Amino acid sequence: SITIQSNLFSITGFAIENSGFSPLHQHPGITLCNVTQCTITKNTVLTNWYGIFIDSSSHCLILKNIIDDSYEKGICIKEA
C-alpha cells in the first residue's frame, strides 16, 4: 500500500495489489491523508480493503485508475 501525506504529489502507473484484510485494520491500496492538490492517475489497484481512501484532503484528482475486487469500497472519501 501507498500512503501520501505531502501536498502537490502525484502517483502514476503503479500496480498495488492485496494490501491485506483485517476486521480491525482497513488496508487501502492508496491513502491520501491531510493533503491538497494530489493526483492519482493510471494506477491498477486490486484486492484491497479500499482501493483508494481519501481522508481530510482537498483539491485532489483521481483519474483513469483501474480499481477492482475491493472488499469494502473502490473509493472511500472521509472528510474531504
Side-chain angles (χ1 to χ4, degrees), residues 12-63:
T12 302
F14 281 86
I16 300 131
E17 187 171 355
N18 198 19
S19 293
F21 296 107
S22 169
L24 300 176
H25 298 92
Q26 302 162 345
H27 298 280
I30 299 172
T31 301
L32 301 177
C33 185
N34 296 312
V35 299
T36 186
Q37 298 180 344
C38 290
T39 304
I40 310 299
T41 310
K42 297 181 182 177
N43 298 285
T44 301
V45 186
L46 306 172
T47 318
N48 300 284
W49 187 271
Y50 298 117
I52 299 173
F53 184 77
I54 303 167
D55 184 13
S56 303
S57 298
S58 63
H59 299 83
C60 296
L61 296 175
I62 311 296
L63 302 168

